[in-house]
Amino acid sequence: MKNKEKLVVLIGPTAVGKTKLSIELAKKFNGEIISGDSMQVYKGMDIGTAKIKSNEMKGIPHHLIDIKEPEESFSVAEFQELVRMKISEINQRKKLPIIVGGTGLYIQSVIYDYQFSEAPSDEDFRRKLEKRVEIEGNEKLHLELQQIDFESAERIHPNNIRRVIRALEVYHCTGKTMSELQKNQHPELVYDASVIGLTMDREALYKRINMRVDIMLEEGLIFEVEKFYKRGLRNCQSIQAIGYKELYDYFDNRSTLAEAIEQLKQNSRRYAKRQLTWFRNKMTVNWYDMSKVDESTIFEKKLAEISAHIEGKLKIKSNT
């Protein structure tokens, strides 16, 4: 354990209050924040992804925000590589890295190490696939993996052909996908990590989500999305984000503005539900109920509880 790098992971559904808490934790523990959101990497997508504003950062360094153009793709494999690099950099500066976000698969790929070395292998099958790559290229093989095991294909970049071949080989030898085998594994944490999850009474959370959408609209979400629409951005990963695809329907005259807004709220609520299901099923998390977090005394109490847990788990001292 002592050889592992220290890390705090703060997860939870959209609108649960991660941003405010993350700033306070970073101030307490001399931390730097790494965005764990797959859409905040895109430049110009500020309002719709609820990107933290510079005046809210309170001087805390933030990483993996605004690193991609909206036309570019961004894979789980790329996220894993960048975040692991940042975790090492921040630890080397004697600071505490804090991943904050809600994209479950992306965060899971960083903090867990799944082992498949014990799965059987077939050298002849592997060589056949290697020859096919030489003739057909990486993409075709990756597409095959996508059809067999979508979850692994999401996690493995097409250019990481060694892992693509291994995933196909595991399926060929066992009849089970890597994703299926993962469910029976107890993967090891790569880091000396404290994983904090924020949850909330469903009614209160849904109310906050609806309110957040209203605030986004007041802040100019329609204008933000319209800029991408007028640039002709279509069929790219960024525009699939909630808040963008619904307003595209409005600009395409496939829905009224009122219908698009209602769809946006509904999709946001559904996404929050999926996020909670993912975190509960796929990760070991220390959960904290933030239902009455708008009351300052409750917030301070939760902050103290979570800080005490981090101090105990990582054996570090806070600044206060």
Side-chain angles (χ1 to χ4, degrees), residues 13-30:
T14 185
V16 79
K18 297 185 296 292
T19 301
K20 183 183 176 185
L21 183 68
S22 69
I23 294 295
E24 294 306 316
L25 289 175
K27 286 186 338 196
K28 263 182 175 289
F29 291 101
N30 196 24

Side-chain angles (χ1 to χ4, degrees), residues 162-200:
R162 185 181 61 81
R163 285 189 66 202
V164 172
I165 288 172
R166 180 57 180 151
L168 289 167
E169 183 186 21
V170 166
Y171 180 70
H172 167 75
C173 292
T174 66
K176 291 184 177 179
T177 65
M178 274 197 171
S179 300
E180 286 176 289
L181 291 173
Q182 279 178 7
K183 289 182 177 76
N184 299 319
Q185 266 199 32
H186 299 287
E188 189 183 352
L189 275 168
V190 178
Y191 300 98
D192 181 7
S194 172
V195 184
I196 305 294
L198 306 185
T199 186
M200 188 175 279

Side-chain angles (χ1 to χ4, degrees), residues 11-18 101-102 197-200 205-206 209 212 268-269 271-277 279-280 287:
I11 57 176
T14 185
V16 79
K18 297 185 296 292
L198 306 185
T199 186
M200 188 175 279
L205 180 64
Y206 286 178
I209 289 169
R212 172 180 275 189
S268 298
R269 294 192 300 267
Y271 178 57
K273 189 179 176 186
R274 287 199 307 275
Q275 284 174 301
L276 280 167
T277 301
F279 293 133
R280 284 182 175 137
W287 289 102

Side-chain angles (χ1 to χ4, degrees), residues 127-248:
R127 273 200 287 269
K128 280 178 192 169
L129 293 185
E130 285 165 357
K131 281 179 184 171
R132 280 187 55 201
V133 170
E134 288 172 21
I135 299 163
E136 301 167 8
N138 297 354
E139 290 290 341
K140 192 159 183 187
L141 221 57
H142 189 264
L143 189 62
E144 270 183 39
L145 178 61
Q146 204 172 50
Q147 289 161 351
I148 292 166
D149 182 4
F150 182 78
E151 213 171 290
S152 289
E154 277 283 285
R155 201 167 45 248
I156 302 170
H157 194 277
N159 293 338
N160 194 343
I161 201 63
R162 185 181 61 81
R163 285 189 66 202
V164 172
I165 288 172
R166 180 57 180 151
L168 289 167
E169 183 186 21
V170 166
Y171 180 70
H172 167 75
C173 292
T174 66
K176 291 184 177 179
T177 65
M178 274 197 171
S179 300
E180 286 176 289
L181 291 173
Q182 279 178 7
K183 289 182 177 76
N184 299 319
Q185 266 199 32
H186 299 287
E188 189 183 352
L189 275 168
V190 178
Y191 300 98
D192 181 7
S194 172
V195 184
I196 305 294
L198 306 185
T199 186
M200 188 175 279
D201 168 73
R202 184 173 292 186
E203 196 179 323
L205 180 64
Y206 286 178
K207 189 178 174 184
R208 281 172 70 101
I209 289 169
N210 291 341
M211 199 183 304
R212 172 180 275 189
V213 172
D214 290 337
I215 291 167
M216 285 176 173
L217 292 164
E218 286 170 20
E219 289 179 342
L221 178 62
I222 295 167
F223 177 68
E224 180 175 281
V225 179
E226 191 177 26
K227 281 193 293 186
F228 291 114
Y229 184 84
K230 285 180 174 174
R231 273 170 60 182
L233 276 181
R234 285 196 179 259
N235 303 320
C236 50
Q237 194 174 334
S238 59
I239 302 305
Q240 299 312 305
I242 295 170
Y244 297 80
K245 57 186 177 183
E246 294 85 0
L247 286 171
Y248 262 53

